[in-house]
Amino acid sequence: MLTSSHVIENKYANRSKISKSKFRELVKLFALNLEATQIAELTGLNRNTVNRFLRAIRERLAEFCEQQSPFSGEIEVDESFFGARRVKGKRGRGAYGKTIVFGIFKRSGKVYTEIVPDCSKATLLAIIRGKVEPESIIYSDGWRGYNGLVDVGYGKHLRVDHSRNEFTRGKAHINGIEGFWGFAKTRLTRFRGMKKATFFLHLKESEFRFNHRDQNLYKMILEIILKKPLF
């Protein structure tokens, strides 16, 4: 059990064993997208200590992403599959053995992601109704899970049919959300053998980095944590 002599005053982390300046150094290196091993080497901190702080930081970023306002305007929706390769002989949406992630992307704006159990109409429409304003224009591919959007109040729903090698039809395309999938998968290849809870945190970190790629991530992360200190 920690005693008062072991605890260092740090406004970013309750009952911290590292100083405020050392913590800020850790966050700066995290913002630069360095891995835990590199951060430990550069800061002189124990690897387990670094991992503990990085997990806590990712939890705060995930909370921040989940609290973002509903989307409106021109919206792209799509699903993607992360993890193990497709198993031979298994047909369908290609999710066997994979983690399914549903994404909502506001053109010229931000993305929202959610891990889902399946790509059914009930699952996808429930998320869309909770995150997208009814007056929005929604773009999707031809997957049947998007059938019925008009029936639940989304009067403007345009599709592209990938099964017919159609990837754009005027303004109807989902290139924006597909750009995020590429960004996220490139980042996540660095982390192998992740548990589901860990995958969620890394996914949300990718979402945060993508959404704020033109901003000062170091400053943003410190401001988020200052509002709700770690641990």
Side-chain angles (χ1 to χ4, degrees):
M1 188 173 183
L2 291 176
T3 64
S4 58
S5 61
H6 294 111
V7 177
I8 300 172
E9 186 178 352
N10 183 344
K11 62 182 179 180
Y12 298 104
N14 297 320
R15 300 178 64 78
S16 176
K17 284 187 175 182
I18 68 173
S19 67
K20 181 172 65 177
S21 61
K22 184 64 71 174
F23 177 77
R24 290 170 72 99
E25 182 184 358
L26 182 152
V27 172
K28 184 170 288 186
L29 295 172
F30 172 78
L32 292 172
N33 210 20
L34 270 65
E35 297 181 21
T37 302
Q38 297 170 301
I39 295 174
E41 290 175 356
L42 291 170
T43 60
L45 293 170
N46 178 276
R47 172 67 184 273
N48 291 335
T49 299
V50 171
N51 282 334
R52 179 170 173 259
F53 274 95
L54 294 190
R55 181 181 177 89
I57 291 169
R58 289 183 175 115
E59 288 172 349
R60 289 291 178 274
L61 298 186
E63 291 171 3
F64 178 82
C65 290
E66 292 292 305
Q67 292 166 1
Q68 298 308 294
S69 301
F71 289 56
S72 63
E74 292 188 292
I75 308 298
E76 298 176 21
V77 296
D78 191 33
E79 337 84 57
S80 193
F81 309 94
F82 292 75
R85 293 183 179 181
R86 187 178 305 184
V87 176
K88 250 186 176 180
K90 295 290 181 180
R91 298 187 177 184
R93 200 59 170 167
Y96 187 86
K98 294 174 177 282
T99 299
I100 315 171
V101 179
F102 177 62
I104 299 172
F105 175 73
K106 176 179 171 61
R107 289 188 178 172
S108 301
K110 298 178 180 179
V111 68
Y112 168 79
T113 61
E114 187 167 324
I115 297 172
V116 294
D118 54 56
C119 298
S120 68
K121 175 180 173 180
T123 296
L124 301 185
L125 263 58
I127 299 171
I128 292 170
R129 293 181 75 180
K131 287 289 181 180
V132 181
E133 298 288 358
E135 66 273 13
S136 301
I137 302 171
I138 297 181
Y139 302 96
S140 75
D141 63 16
W143 174 242
R144 62 178 178 269
Y146 300 115
N147 294 346
L149 276 171
V150 173
D151 297 333
V152 294
Y154 296 93
K156 298 176 181 178
H157 176 205
L158 303 176
R159 297 180 185 244
V160 288
D161 191 349
H162 289 175
S163 66
R164 297 182 180 179
N165 290 321
E166 181 184 55
F167 292 93
T168 181
R169 183 162 45 83
K171 295 188 74 174
H173 64 78
I174 52 172
N175 297 340
I177 185 66
E178 288 178 343
F180 170 74
W181 296 139
F183 169 82
K185 288 180 179 181
T186 298
R187 286 201 73 255
L188 294 176
T189 53
R190 299 162 56 191
F191 309 96
R192 292 181 175 84
M194 286 186 288
K195 295 179 181 178
K196 191 167 185 178
T198 306
F199 172 77
F200 169 76
L201 294 178
H202 284 290
L203 175 68
K204 285 297 177 179
E205 179 192 345
S206 297
E207 179 183 320
F208 176 83
R209 288 182 183 276
F210 181 86
N211 287 344
H212 305 285
R213 56 196 177 280
D214 297 324
Q215 295 172 255
N216 185 327
L217 295 184
Y218 168 63
K219 184 178 179 181
M220 274 198 74
I221 294 168
L222 287 179
E223 289 174 350
I224 290 169
I225 295 171
L226 194 56
K227 292 178 181 177
K228 186 180 179 183
L230 306 182
F231 314 122

